[in-house]
Amino acid sequence: MASDVVIETRALSKTYRDFWGRAKVRALKSLDLEIRQGEIFGLLGPNGSGKTTTMKLLLGLLFPTSGQALVFGRDASDVRKNERIGYLPEETYLYKFLTAEETLDFYGRLFDIPPQTRKERIDQLISEVGLDWARRRQLKEYSKGMTRRIGIAQARINDPDLILLDELNSGLDPIGVREMKDMILALKEAGKTVVMCSHLLADVQDICDRIAILHQGELKELGRVESLLRVADETQFRVRGMSQACQDEVQAVIARHEHELVEMTNPVSTLEDLFLSIVRDSEARPGRRARVETAEQSESVN
Amino acid sequence: MVIETDILNFWDWLAVGSDERAPALLQFVVTIVVLALVGLLFGFLIAAVRHGPIAAGDLVYRVLRRAAGELFRISPRRVWALARLSVKESLRKSVLASLIVFGVLLVFAPWFLGSESREPVKLYLSFVMTASMYLTLLIALLLSTFSLPADIKSKTIYTVVTKPVGAHEIVLGRILGFTIIGTVLLAIMGAGGYVFVIRSLRHTHTIAVADLAEAKASGVQRGLSSRDMGHRHEATVDKDGHVDVQSAIGHWHDVAGEPENGAYVTSSPADMYRARVPIYGKLRFKDRNGADKDRGVSVGNEWGYRSYIDGGTSATAIWTFDSLREEEYPDGLPLELSLRVFRTYKGDIERGILGSLVVVNPTTGLRSDIRTFRAQDFHIDEQTIPRKLPRRRQDMKPGLSEELDLFDDLVDEEGRVEIWIQCVEPAQYFGAAQADCYIRTRDGLFWVNYWKGLSGTWAQMVLIVCFGVMFSTFLSGPVALFATAGCFILGTFRDFIIKVATGGIEGGGPVEAMIRTFTQQNMTSELEAGGANALIETLDSPLKALMHGLVYVLPDFSSYSQVNWVAYGYNIPWNLIAQNLMAGFAYLLGAFIAGYLFLRSGEVAK
Ligand SMILES: Nc1ncnc2c1ncn2[C@@H]1O[C@H](COP(=O)(O)OP(=O)(O)OP(=O)(O)O)[C@@H](O)[C@H]1O
Ligand SMILES: [Mg+2]
């Protein structure tokens, strides 16, 4: 169904030029994309591969050198499409002299949101991004991650149907990253479309439905995450409390079938899990100091 | 001396125009069209350099097509949000510091203004009003030209233009925001300046009883007041002890009550701040032989508007006033003269040049006797024509004369009367313009006039903001600043430039000569082109129109400055204010459209 298509690019190309019109960088080469409603779409690629350029073209911040970008069926340079879009730029470009509240209020007004609704949404978003305690402070006093959070709130002020997140997780702590993952999934639940680019491949893998990989402005890979990542010729077990005898036996079975055993180890928990459990613990029992394990200390205790 | 050009009434100004200027409405339309064209042309050129002419044409076409729909979609809430943002930004840049500068200026002003001036009111008022004007304009210039470029540089503009905000709303919001800041600054400076002038010039005198001298036999005592603020007043005390203080340097004082410690103490100055409401007549001239002519002799140091009559000859300046009614002037005509004086030899500067004034009935030709006065440059001479005027007929004995009644004998059936003025001293000249002789009716309120005067500054401030914001949509901050300041300077001399360009200046200065040579060359080269002639002409004429248009569309900044009106004590007609505001609005519209086109035809992320 055509109305499902939220973003469509046709042979979208962008060549950056200097002032005199001499071509400098071919940042995007003939990109064809179609992103549908309700998808979480990941744009991946090394630095300088054209991810940000693509987003700017979709938003009409840049004009394509050739080709076309359509958002909600409108040309990217049409302002009216912005009604339903939320955008978080690569770095958070906000007015430093406004407070968190004023920032959201300002952007809310730009969407012509009536006062009552605006106030409710501001309260809701500020607490969602966890900045209740700093809502009356000017952004120039904010840390990078805090600014990022208010940037995200800003991108959602209009309850957008399509949200474009450029390097969503940059500057965020692991809790933030986690919360953002949850937020994105919640957005998907609500039927919104999310386009994000990120270098944290694990996160992309966890939440994206489809990804596109760009390299030097060219589309190298496009498809559903599961099918792209499934390794069809390997099989993985996870067993709790497996005895040495059992392990030997399994190895023997594999050897008998003349399969190659690639790896059999105990899994290591991720640092993310450790970090999250420590922070949750300290939130539950505030004031407790961490137990520092140093050789010196263990001696004195003994 | 204040009003150098005719002030048309509002509708004539707007829709009809005069010999000297086209109707304002036409000028506005041209302004808006030219600004819009410049916007488009600029967008086209930039795009053409970068992407080639075809892509550029396509871009301009799309921008135009979209403009029709977008320009009318203005959301007050969005514009207001952007305006508030600009206000907050300005406050953060601590523009209020300019108030401190103004305050410091006022504190030190008495040092360099002094208190001994012969015309302190004029001096203080022009100082205060000029200072607040330049400060406000400077702030408006800095704020409006640096704001948008800073947004583009810091990329905060990304988060704004990706909202459903039109480029026109961004322009409008900024104009509104900076106008609010400018208005508040101007209002505070205006109020501060007002209080400063009134307080600085408030003074009293004492009149020592011991210094009073008995005039012969009349029982009236005369004397001089103490010297305060550099001047004294003559005072008389009659038999009943009633004190009368004569007017000096444009004001007088009351004295109530008995002398204390051997001296009378006067009240604060009265009638010091004025807003004269003049009624003008029509001016014509007679030459040195007494023959009718349009203009006097031009001495070449004034614009054609003011003409000179030579002294000691029959050269006369004649003002005809009409619709005079006895009920309105039961005590005679309160006439005021502010002739320019041109001396071919210096003479006694202090005394002024002797002139004569005769009241003439335009229908019967009946003339009053000559009244004399002394005219000084830049000085307003009050000449009330009394109800009863003497006339000596040829057949009368010396020392005898008959008495004429102003309204019965000298004002004709239609209420017209003529005032004939001649310069008596040979080889000296009077300069006369329509506005130099007028009947002064009841004064307007001074404080109202003061604020009316500041409204001219306000209009200038709005224009600066409009131009500043418009230029900042496509120029970097400093360049936009220079462009705006350039417009202000060119606009201040706009009339002069247009006159030079259209050959309207008599005699011709070097500039005109240069322009003439320049255009002449253009013409010949066009003719020589032969076959391609037609093509060149078609290409050239819109360009030429554009060039002329560019000067034409600049606002006439000088006409907004009404400081002189207030300082010299003339009431500013509402009509003039309406004209200024209307013109300001037209430029607002032009800057708004051009700013939109500039912003829209370039990429936001470069
Ligand atoms: N304003 C610009 N002028 C010239 N070249 C530019 C400009 N912006 C980006 N580029 C170039 O375009 C290419 C793509 O840049 P882009 O910002 O889209 O990369 P990206 O994929 O977002 O990279 P990153 O992961 O570092 O954010 C790069 O080679 C970059 O140098
Ligand atoms: Mg990027």
Side-chain angles (χ1 to χ4, degrees):
Chain A
M1 225 171 69
S3 63
D4 261 17
V5 178
V6 173
I7 291 176
E8 191 183 354
T9 68
R10 300 190 195 125
L12 190 63
S13 310
K14 178 69 194 178
T15 306
Y16 284 105
R17 292 166 190 276
D18 66 6
F19 181 79
W20 303 109
R22 290 177 302 207
K24 260 171 46 187
V25 187
R26 291 185 66 196
L28 199 60
K29 297 167 196 162
S30 195
L31 178 71
D32 286 299
L33 271 186
E34 210 177 75
I35 299 174
R36 292 173 177 277
Q37 199 209 320
E39 267 190 315
I40 302 180
F41 191 93
L43 267 176
L44 308 182
N47 291 139
S49 54
K51 306 181 293 290
T52 301
T53 304
T54 310
M55 288 223 175
K56 286 181 179 169
L57 285 165
L58 290 175
L59 287 160
L61 287 172
L62 290 174
F63 299 159
T65 310
S66 67
Q68 209 186 5
L70 296 177
V71 181
F72 295 118
R74 294 180 192 276
D75 190 89
S77 58
D78 192 332
V79 223
R80 277 171 297 173
K81 70 172 195 316
N82 294 347
E83 297 273 5
R84 300 165 63 191
I85 295 185
Y87 169 52
L88 174 72
E90 207 167 6
E91 281 159 48
T92 321
Y93 308 122
L94 297 173
Y95 294 96
K96 296 265 186 286
F97 53 89
L98 297 180
T99 65
E101 257 177 1
E102 286 171 337
T103 305
L104 295 187
D105 187 59
F106 170 64
Y107 290 109
R109 283 168 192 261
L110 293 189
F111 280 105
D112 221 342
I113 303 173
Q116 190 53 40
T117 334
R118 202 161 65 217
K119 200 178 164 314
E120 286 163 14
R121 274 205 76 77
I122 292 172
D123 289 343
Q124 183 204 338
L125 283 170
I126 287 190
S127 70
E128 258 181 51
V129 296
L131 287 174
D132 270 317
W133 55 283
R135 58 188 293 163
R136 297 228 161 75
R137 282 169 62 182
Q138 289 193 340
L139 296 197
K140 65 178 173 214
E141 300 172 7
Y142 269 35
S143 72
K144 178 162 183 217
M146 288 163 74
T147 319
R148 204 65 187 152
R149 284 163 185 262
I150 208 67
I152 290 155
Q154 164 274 134
R156 293 181 54 201
I157 189 77
N158 58 329
D159 193 17
D161 293 329
L162 165 65
I163 182 159
L164 298 159
L165 305 168
D166 198 344
E167 310 279 355
L168 169 66
N169 293 327
S170 82
L172 287 182
D173 57 24
I175 306 171
V177 173
R178 188 65 225 206
E179 285 169 355
M180 288 314 127
K181 265 191 212 171
D182 293 344
M183 178 197 85
I184 291 172
L185 291 171
L187 287 174
K188 180 188 159 77
E189 280 298 284
K192 316 285 187 193
T193 314
V194 180
V195 178
M196 54 185 286
C197 54
S198 177
H199 295 295
L200 299 181
L201 299 181
D203 302 337
V204 177
Q205 181 184 344
D206 282 356
I207 53 176
C208 285
D209 297 318
R210 285 203 303 151
I211 54 167
I213 298 180
L214 291 172
H215 183 242
Q216 296 187 347
E218 275 177 279
L219 183 62
K220 295 295 182 189
E221 188 69 71
L222 174 70
R224 303 200 68 76
V225 174
E226 310 108 69
S227 50
L228 285 175
L229 296 186
R230 173 143 303 140
V231 185
D233 59 350
E234 285 186 14
T235 309
Q236 197 175 7
F237 295 103
R238 275 178 85 171
V239 182
R240 178 165 293 139
M242 199 182 201
S243 66
Q244 189 58 45
C246 180
Q247 286 187 23
D248 294 344
E249 216 166 310
V250 170
Q251 278 183 3
V253 172
I254 293 169
R256 183 149 36 91
H257 283 273
E258 294 184 344
H259 291 318
E260 184 194 352
L261 180 65
V262 181
E263 188 191 343
M264 191 154 101
T265 53
N266 291 72
V268 179
S269 154
T270 59
L271 190 53
E272 182 185 355
D273 292 340
L274 176 67
F275 185 91
L276 289 178
S277 77
I278 289 177
V279 174
R280 295 222 174 96
D281 192 40
S282 77
E283 268 171 4
R285 271 172 292 175
R288 204 176 63 110
R289 299 293 298 264
R291 187 166 47 86
V292 186
E293 272 182 34
T294 61
E296 199 183 305
Q297 257 182 338
S298 24
E299 263 169 33
S300 68
V301 169
N302 292 337
Chain B
M1 67 179 70
V2 178
I3 309 108
E4 296 289 0
T5 46
D6 241 355
I7 294 170
L8 300 176
N9 78 47
F10 189 76
W11 293 113
D12 281 350
W13 170 80
L14 191 66
V16 183
S18 68
D19 299 344
E20 279 168 29
R21 52 193 325 146
L25 202 57
L26 179 72
Q27 196 198 327
F28 296 161
V29 173
V30 173
T31 301
I32 293 168
V33 169
V34 170
L35 285 178
L37 280 180
V38 171
L40 280 179
L41 189 76
F42 197 84
F44 176 83
L45 287 178
I46 293 275
V49 169
R50 297 169 67 103
H51 310 294
I54 297 175
D58 186 47
L59 174 82
V60 168
Y61 169 71
R62 271 186 298 145
V63 167
L64 262 186
R65 217 187 46 186
R66 198 157 279 149
E70 281 184 5
L71 275 174
F72 296 99
R73 281 197 323 134
I74 297 179
S75 145
R77 189 176 281 137
R78 277 200 281 271
V79 173
W80 181 234
L82 289 158
R84 275 172 36 137
L85 184 80
S86 303
V87 170
K88 283 182 189 161
E89 182 197 324
S90 314
L91 293 180
R92 185 203 49 160
K93 284 185 184 161
S94 54
V95 289
L96 295 183
S98 63
L99 291 178
I100 299 174
V101 173
F102 186 70
V104 170
L105 266 182
L106 291 194
V107 168
F108 289 103
W111 285 7
F112 51 85
L113 290 182
S115 55
E116 306 269 300
S117 163
R118 283 192 54 77
E119 284 166 304
V121 173
K122 198 162 85 187
L123 184 70
Y124 272 66
L125 279 176
S126 20
F127 166 73
V128 159
M129 294 183 78
T130 313
S132 33
M133 172 178 130
Y134 280 112
L135 267 175
T136 312
L137 294 191
L138 185 69
I139 296 285
L141 185 67
L142 290 174
L143 286 181
S144 62
T145 49
F146 279 95
S147 160
L148 204 49
D151 251 23
I152 292 172
K153 204 169 165 201
S154 71
K155 301 189 178 165
T156 38
I157 191 90
Y158 287 13
T159 48
V160 174
V161 292
T162 51
K163 307 286 182 274
V165 181
H168 59 301
E169 288 170 322
I170 294 179
V171 172
L172 201 60
R174 284 227 154 45
I175 292 179
L176 183 64
F178 297 134
T179 300
I180 290 173
I181 284 286
T183 308
V184 170
L185 286 182
L186 187 63
I188 296 174
M189 290 191 213
Y194 187 82
V195 172
F196 167 77
V197 172
I198 303 280
R199 293 192 53 159
S200 308
L201 298 186
R202 179 183 295 159
H203 65 279
T204 57
H205 301 268
T206 53
I207 302 160
V209 177
D211 292 348
L212 294 172
E214 186 93 16
K216 39 187 155 146
S218 61
V220 176
Q221 294 181 304
R222 285 179 182 285
L224 282 176
S225 74
S226 62
R227 188 177 193 84
D228 294 287
M229 267 187 49
H231 66 276
R232 291 165 182 268
H233 295 265
E234 277 179 30
T236 54
V237 184
D238 66 16
K239 281 186 293 236
D240 309 329
H242 178 80
V243 187
D244 198 19
V245 179
Q246 302 295 306
S247 169
I249 64 164
H251 69 272
W252 48 274
H253 298 262
D254 254 337
V255 177
E258 299 298 309
E260 277 172 44
N261 303 328
Y264 292 96
V265 179
T266 69
S267 68
S268 294
D271 228 7
M272 191 141 158
Y273 305 100
R274 305 177 192 203
R276 298 181 184 82
V277 183
I279 292 182
Y280 296 109
K282 283 255 175 300
L283 176 61
R284 66 194 169 89
F285 292 96
K286 283 187 185 297
D287 68 13
R288 52 190 304 132
N289 304 317
D292 284 335
K293 62 188 275 263
D294 286 346
R295 297 282 186 212
V297 179
S298 173
V299 292
N301 73 339
E302 271 292 356
W303 6 61
Y305 182 69
R306 171 169 280 112
S307 288
Y308 284 78
I309 49 178
D310 25 7
T313 70
S314 299
T316 317
I318 303 167
W319 280 268
T320 312
F321 295 94
D322 56 17
S323 318
L324 299 180
R325 285 184 299 135
E326 193 174 347
E327 308 86 82
E328 285 174 36
Y329 308 101
D331 304 323
L333 282 184
L335 208 63
E336 290 196 349
L337 285 171
S338 62
L339 297 169
R340 292 296 298 275
V341 172
F342 182 80
R343 295 166 185 264
T344 50
Y345 62 91
K346 214 162 171 200
D348 183 357
I349 293 281
E350 279 293 305
R351 283 185 66 215
I353 303 289
L354 195 66
S356 69
L357 183 155
V358 178
V359 184
V360 180
N361 183 321
T363 312
T364 61
L366 194 64
R367 305 164 60 96
S368 75
D369 275 354
I370 282 175
R371 299 165 61 84
T372 56
F373 61 91
R374 288 200 172 269
Q376 264 175 324
D377 225 4
F378 295 108
H379 198 83
I380 298 165
D381 196 21
E382 292 175 25
Q383 280 285 330
T384 302
I385 311 286
R387 274 302 293 265
K388 300 295 176 205
L389 292 156
R391 185 176 92 108
R392 218 183 75 78
R393 281 205 313 271
Q394 295 289 303
D395 52 357
M396 283 176 158
K397 288 203 192 102
L400 283 182
S401 65
E402 66 177 3
E403 199 169 60
L404 297 178
D405 181 84
L406 179 64
F407 280 95
D408 294 342
D409 302 316
L410 293 169
V411 175
D412 74 4
E413 301 286 289
E414 281 136 60
R416 293 184 304 157
V417 72
E418 286 180 355
I419 306 291
W420 291 40
I421 287 191
Q422 290 182 332
C423 177
V424 176
E425 297 182 31
Q428 308 284 40
Y429 293 79
F430 280 165
Q434 191 113 310
D436 288 347
C437 175
Y438 54 86
I439 299 167
R440 179 180 169 194
T441 54
R442 209 159 57 86
D443 283 2
L445 285 171
F446 171 74
W447 65 268
V448 174
N449 202 41
Y450 177 80
W451 287 105
K452 279 186 191 169
L454 285 182
S455 82
T457 304
W458 186 81
Q460 281 182 317
M461 183 268 297
V462 175
L463 284 178
I464 295 258
V465 166
C466 286
F467 275 77
V469 171
M470 180 185 81
F471 282 124
S472 72
T473 54
F474 67 102
L475 297 175
S476 71
V479 183
L481 183 121
F482 276 113
T484 312
C487 279
F488 176 74
I489 293 165
L490 283 180
T492 305
F493 300 105
R494 173 183 178 277
D495 274 3
F496 178 74
I497 292 172
I498 289 182
K499 266 187 200 151
V500 171
T502 54
I505 285 202
E506 287 170 33
V511 184
E512 189 202 7
M514 205 180 74
I515 287 180
R516 253 188 204 151
T517 331
F518 186 68
T519 44
Q520 213 117 39
Q521 274 173 358
N522 249 359
M523 271 185 234
T524 45
S525 66
E526 253 173 35
L527 291 176
E528 279 164 15
N533 196 355
L535 180 68
I536 289 176
E537 232 166 58
T538 40
L539 285 180
D540 212 32
S541 54
L543 272 183
K544 264 204 253 171
L546 195 69
M547 297 272 282
H548 187 241
L550 275 184
V551 187
Y552 190 73
V553 299
L554 282 179
D556 182 359
F557 275 102
S558 60
S559 77
Y560 294 97
S561 175
Q562 274 123 34
V563 174
N564 277 351
W565 288 71
V566 181
Y568 283 86
Y570 286 96
N571 192 54
I572 303 168
W574 284 110
N575 172 23
L576 187 65
I577 290 175
Q579 292 179 13
N580 283 343
L581 295 187
M582 185 72 202
F585 182 71
Y587 282 100
L588 174 83
L589 213 59
F592 166 68
I593 294 174
Y596 166 83
L597 293 172
F598 283 137
L599 259 192
R600 206 70 177 93
S601 50
E603 291 174 317
V604 174
K606 273 174 222 145

